């Protein structure tokens, strides 16, 4: 049975933070039967990184999840995007 999934995107003004920020929320999702994925994206504080590279990273991970849904046993049509602060902006932009 394919399960629901959520891709979680951390905050940090596109310049800081990492995927560990949403660990507690991912644990809560898993307890509810949702497969949680948390990702890092290129940070604008790094040399050569500029908008829309962080959003491109989110879109690429979402595409990868969909392409690998069968192997991951997730439903490619039931992947939510969730983010805090800048991550919320990136999630909304990609959605």
């Amino acid at each position: 049975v394919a399960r629901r999934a959520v891709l979680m995107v951390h905050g940090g003004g596109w310049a800081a933070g990492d995927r560990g920020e949403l660990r507690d929320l991912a644990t809560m999702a898993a307890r509810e039967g949702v497969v949680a994925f948390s990702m890092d994206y290129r940070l604008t504080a790094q040399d050569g990184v500029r908008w829309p590279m962080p959003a491109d990273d989110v879109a690429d991970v979402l595409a990868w999840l969909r392409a690998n849904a069968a192997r991951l046993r997730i439903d490619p049509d039931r992947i939510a995007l969730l983010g805090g602060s800048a991550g919320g902006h990136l999630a909304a932009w990609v959605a």
Side-chain angles (χ1 to χ4, degrees):
V1 173
R3 301 164 293 172
R4 297 170 292 154
V6 60
L7 175 57
M8 299 182 170
V9 186
H10 68 82
W14 310 325
D18 65 61
R19 65 181 175 257
E21 290 178 17
L22 300 172
R23 180 171 299 147
D24 292 341
L25 193 55
T27 299
M28 288 173 45
R31 286 185 185 138
E32 296 298 321
V34 177
V35 180
F37 298 92
S38 189
M39 63 170 287
D40 286 325
Y41 53 86
R42 288 174 286 182
L43 302 173
T44 57
Q46 299 166 327
D47 286 340
V49 178
R50 63 189 183 289
W51 180 261
M53 291 173 171
D56 292 342
D57 293 343
V58 176
D60 288 346
V61 171
L62 179 60
W64 185 90
L65 289 173
R66 286 185 173 144
N68 291 278
R71 184 169 62 89
L72 297 168
R73 295 185 321 194
I74 61 173
D75 184 337
D77 296 321
R78 295 176 68 196
I79 303 171
L81 290 167
L82 177 147
S85 191
H89 172 261
L90 292 171
W93 185 271
V94 169

